[in-house]
Amino acid sequence: MGNQTLCQADINDIQLQAQNQNKKMKVNQVKQFTKFNDDQTGKQSLIVINSQEQQQISLLNEWLECLHESVLITQFDHKYNTTTNLFSHIDDENQINDPKTSIIEQQDLCEYKKNYPYCNSILDIIIINFYVLKKYEFISKLIKGPPKQRIRWSCWQLMVNIPNYYIQSDHLSFIEEDQKQTSAIKKDTHRTVSTKDIKYFETSQGKKDLEIVLIKLSKLFPKLGYCQGMNFLASFTLIINNKNITQSLQFLAQMMINPKFLVYYLYLEEMPLLKLLEFICQQEIKFKLHDLHNHIYIKLQVQNAFWLTKIIMTLFLYNFHINNVCRLWDFIIATNIFQMSAIICSFLEINKNQIFQMDDLNEFVIWFDKHQNKEIPYKQMENIISKSINYTINIEKINSYANLYCKGHSNNHPIQVEISKNYDKMTQLKNFIKTDIFD
């Protein structure tokens, strides 16, 4: 009996070794094929992933193993244009048709760029394939956090991209004498994302890059122009993608008009999305964290302008450490901008004991503002993301909240009305956005 047990243990060890060798082979193949060099982290982003080295290596290998299957297909049937079909509606359930099973070749890059203009590497192609093949696994892994900024940036670009809707920006000039926007932008270049390790926007070249992105963005959306808060978003993207002006501009332009994010309406003069998001966040806190809501809004007399407005206008960048914002954006980009309410509820729940001990408004403001320079520890940050999943609101709930807001307010902006009617009908919403912004 002892020998039999020993033999079975040996068999288990052999099987485990074979599995590990197979995983290692897949990881090495993807690294070799994508030219993904572990030693070039500094060239991928101005910041690195903030986690323990062994944990980071494990996460990276897990991601690369998942990407292995996506190496084996190129674009789907180009004539049938399956990729466009898959993305014709946000979050649709179309099935994949006739995948081509051969190793990706460099010339396939041109075909991918027709639907994904940002795509400029084999790694981008493979990540697109991963999403198309295993959408929900992809979203789950994005929420858990990519192990490298290069992978993160590729995932983010994919999720904000609207296929067949490339916004032309190559023709836009950058003229320093364009005083209409430049003077306002120059005032804000020093008030932007910065940490003790990143001083790029304190240099003349960093300020110049940021100005180029913001001036061109204002020219792309002339009815909007430049607004305070955009400087945080622009500088953050330049940090993540290692100063790629063209990709930052296209990424922000897509976020402006993508129905999942609607950032254009966050900065519009009437700020219709800001008002709606503040309403939704406060309602979610009230119904899901009732005692905490009463303590914050009734006992402490906290007004949204002290915290919620800042969070929403800068998508967390004004009040949270940049390393933490990376993870918060993973969650928002994997879902939609309305899930900011889920993150906020999760954040408040985790800190509720500390909040309940506060006796006045000043204590709350000081406590909240300290998160700007003090990074939330890794484990606590992952706990916030994990709990956020439990607080997510579905599309029907978003419709319902928008409808409730419109009934309770007069002179509603058309986008608020449109969300209350058609947030579950993305095609109609996309058509409205095109007409409203570019007419």
Side-chain angles (χ1 to χ4, degrees):
M1 179 70 71
N3 289 335
Q4 289 178 356
T5 304
L6 182 62
C7 289
Q8 186 59 49
D10 290 341
I11 292 171
N12 291 339
D13 287 341
I14 292 170
Q15 289 176 339
L16 183 60
Q17 289 177 16
Q19 289 174 359
N20 290 335
Q21 287 177 355
N22 188 42
K23 288 181 179 180
K24 187 175 181 180
M25 178 197 70
K26 289 181 178 180
V27 167
N28 289 335
Q29 284 179 347
V30 176
K31 281 184 179 179
Q32 182 180 6
F33 193 66
T34 60
K35 298 180 175 61
F36 195 89
N37 190 336
D38 292 343
D39 298 327
Q40 293 184 342
T41 304
K43 298 180 181 180
Q44 298 166 17
S45 172
L46 295 181
I47 56 174
V48 297
I49 300 293
N50 186 27
S51 60
Q52 295 179 355
E53 182 178 359
Q54 192 59 42
Q55 186 177 43
Q56 185 176 336
I57 292 172
S58 177
L59 287 172
L60 176 60
N61 290 343
E62 184 183 326
W63 261 85
L64 294 178
E65 185 185 358
C66 289
L67 292 176
H68 184 263
E69 182 179 349
S70 301
V71 172
L72 300 177
I73 65 171
T74 65
Q75 176 66 296
F76 299 106
D77 185 355
H78 301 168
K79 294 179 182 178
Y80 184 74
N81 205 11
T82 306
T83 308
T84 304
N85 185 37
L86 276 162
F87 287 88
S88 59
H89 300 280
I90 304 293
D91 293 332
D92 61 10
E93 297 292 339
N94 292 345
Q95 296 298 313
I96 297 168
N97 294 278
D98 302 324
K100 181 181 175 184
T101 54
S102 60
I103 295 295
I104 295 171
E105 299 173 356
Q106 191 64 36
Q107 59 263 31
D108 292 313
L109 201 57
C110 296
E111 292 296 334
Y112 274 77
K113 287 181 77 69
K114 292 177 182 178
N115 291 314
Y116 308 95
Y118 72 85
C119 183
N120 63 3
S121 71
I122 299 297
L123 179 63
D124 289 333
I125 291 178
I126 293 171
I127 287 174
I128 292 168
N129 287 343
F130 180 30
Y131 178 86
V132 174
L133 286 170
K134 298 181 178 180
K135 173 181 173 181
Y136 294 108
E137 182 180 347
F138 172 92
I139 291 174
S140 175
K141 294 191 77 62
L142 178 55
I143 288 173
K144 291 178 181 177
K148 294 282 187 180
Q149 299 293 13
R150 176 66 187 89
I151 294 176
R152 169 173 279 128
W153 180 242
S154 184
C155 291
W156 285 6
Q157 289 182 103
L158 169 61
M159 294 304 288
V160 304
N161 178 68
I162 304 175
N164 293 335
Y165 205 83
Y166 182 70
I167 300 175
Q168 293 294 336
S169 60
D170 296 340
H171 66 287
L172 295 174
S173 60
F174 169 66
I175 305 172
E176 291 187 32
E177 289 73 25
D178 189 2
Q179 296 298 325
K180 186 176 181 180
Q181 304 293 345
T182 305
S183 58
I185 290 170
K186 284 182 180 294
K187 291 178 181 178
D188 285 342
T189 50
H190 71 283
R191 294 196 296 260
T192 187
V193 175
S194 184
T195 69
K196 63 181 180 180
D197 300 319
I198 301 172
K199 302 297 182 183
Y200 181 64
F201 299 110
E202 296 177 11
T203 67
S204 58
Q205 186 59 51
K207 292 176 181 177
K208 184 88 166 181
D209 289 347
L210 183 56
E211 287 172 18
I212 291 173
V213 173
L214 292 172
I215 288 174
K216 286 193 172 186
L217 191 65
S218 69
K219 288 182 176 181
L220 280 175
F221 302 96
K223 289 196 289 185
L224 180 64
Y226 169 73
C227 303
Q228 269 193 332
M230 290 180 180
N231 53 314
F232 283 90
L233 274 61
S235 58
F236 184 53
T237 61
L238 287 169
I239 288 170
I240 297 296
N241 68 23
N242 195 21
K243 302 170 285 189
N244 190 317
I245 293 172
T246 302
Q247 287 191 357
S248 286
L249 180 61
Q250 190 62 213
F251 178 86
L252 293 170
Q254 293 283 350
M255 282 196 82
M256 287 280 183
I257 62 173
N258 191 314
K260 293 174 69 174
F261 308 107
L262 300 167
V263 171
Y264 178 91
Y265 296 97
L266 196 59
Y267 296 111
L268 204 59
E269 186 176 0
E270 304 93 326
M271 297 182 175
L273 186 62
L274 170 65
K275 294 174 181 176
L276 181 57
L277 283 170
E278 284 184 342
F279 175 79
I280 291 174
C281 288
Q282 194 166 344
Q283 290 296 311
E284 281 290 284
I285 298 168
K286 182 178 181 179
F287 290 119
K288 295 178 178 177
L289 300 166
H290 185 70
D291 292 342
L292 200 53
H293 173 275
N294 290 343
H295 185 78
I296 293 171
Y297 285 101
I298 298 175
K299 180 178 180 179
L300 302 183
Q301 293 289 300
V302 177
Q303 298 177 12
N304 286 338
F306 291 127
W307 70 302
L308 267 184
T309 305
K310 295 176 183 178
I311 288 176
I312 296 169
M313 286 296 288
T314 63
L315 300 187
F316 294 101
L317 283 161
Y318 183 80
N319 285 99
F320 288 85
H321 192 282
I322 190 171
N323 289 337
N324 297 142
V325 177
C326 285
R327 294 294 293 115
L328 300 178
W329 275 43
D330 287 340
F331 189 86
I332 293 170
I333 290 175
T335 54
N336 58 62
I337 197 168
F338 293 98
Q339 305 312 327
M340 291 184 76
S341 65
I343 295 173
I344 290 165
C345 284
S346 173
F347 174 74
L348 292 177
E349 183 197 341
I350 287 173
N351 292 281
K352 64 182 180 182
N353 292 336
Q354 193 172 354
I355 296 172
F356 278 130
Q357 292 176 2
M358 299 175 188
D359 294 320
D360 58 52
L361 169 63
N362 191 50
E363 277 188 82
F364 182 89
V365 173
I366 292 173
W367 166 78
F368 180 70
D369 286 346
K370 77 177 183 181
H371 292 91
Q372 186 176 30
N373 297 313
K374 184 178 180 181
E375 183 179 357
I376 299 172
Y378 174 79
K379 287 186 178 180
Q380 186 179 347
M381 193 66 228
E382 294 311 301
N383 192 23
I384 290 174
I385 297 297
S386 177
K387 287 183 177 294
S388 296
I389 297 171
N390 299 326
Y391 284 112
T392 54
I393 52 177
N394 58 32
I395 291 176
E396 291 75 18
K397 192 71 172 178
I398 295 169
N399 275 132
S400 177
Y401 273 135
N403 188 43
L404 186 64
Y405 177 89
C406 290
K407 287 181 178 179
H409 296 77
S410 58
N411 301 320
N412 294 303
H413 190 278
I415 190 62
Q416 295 168 337
V417 177
E418 200 67 25
I419 292 171
S420 71
K421 294 179 179 178
N422 293 318
Y423 198 70
D424 57 339
K425 303 179 183 70
M426 287 294 174
T427 302
Q428 292 183 34
L429 189 53
K430 281 192 284 186
N431 291 335
F432 168 83
I433 292 168
K434 287 181 188 178
T435 304
D436 185 52
I437 295 177
F438 298 111
D439 185 17

